[in-house]
Amino acid sequence: MGAVANLAPDRFRAIHAGVPFVDALNTILRPELPLTVGEWEEWGNPIEDPEVYAYMRGYTPYENIAQRRYPAILASTSLNDTRVFYVEPAKWVAALRDSVVDDPDRPVLLKTEMVAGHGGVSGRYESWKQAAFELAFLMDQVGVTA
């Protein structure tokens, strides 16, 4: 969803980026992280291959934020996510807030679950609350009322 926000911000009114892998280049440059080396087989190794680095640099969301009007964005993450560390969406949201053309009707929000993993909160009722929050954000942005 981060790439979508950069490539076609005018085509969407709102985006929910659930545990967004938006700092892929910086993450894949860190072989000490648990999932990085295994990803090199699919993505290539940007540490050793300048073409892979340039290609990734050309589309990764964090590196391609620009001064423009973005859709309203809700980035949701979890403190205990071992696949997409919470710092990725946090720094993405901070960079967006610094770069976005100001529009109070299109907020850029970060919601961090403090006791959850990559799949979000556990338990039927808690997951319903999480889904309701995300849908309420999107419905509010597109003007759906009760």
Side-chain angles (χ1 to χ4, degrees), residues 21-29 35-47 49 51-57 59-61 88:
F21 187 41
V22 288
D23 193 19
L25 184 58
N26 287 317
T27 298
I28 207 159
L29 290 172
L35 302 177
T36 297
V37 175
E39 294 293 327
W40 287 345
E41 184 176 327
E42 179 180 347
W43 297 46
N45 181 346
I47 295 172
D49 188 337
E51 286 183 40
V52 171
Y53 180 90
Y55 182 74
M56 288 185 73
R57 175 71 178 82
Y59 74 82
T60 52
E88 286 197 32

Side-chain angles (χ1 to χ4, degrees), residues 58-96:
Y59 74 82
T60 52
Y62 181 73
E63 285 80 13
N64 289 286
I65 293 171
Q67 185 84 28
R68 68 178 126 212
R69 185 175 188 221
Y70 279 88
I73 295 174
L74 168 62
S76 57
T77 187
S78 300
L79 190 63
N80 299 311
D81 188 341
T82 57
R83 294 184 193 174
V84 179
F85 295 133
Y86 69 93
V87 296
E88 286 197 32
K91 74 186 228 181
W92 180 59
V93 164
L96 281 168

Side-chain angles (χ1 to χ4, degrees), residues 95-118:
L96 281 168
R97 288 177 179 168
D98 284 344
S99 300
V100 71
V101 173
D102 190 32
D103 184 344
D105 293 328
R106 294 183 177 213
V108 178
L109 305 176
L110 174 68
K111 184 171 192 280
T112 305
E113 293 292 343
M114 302 309 282
V115 185
H118 190 68

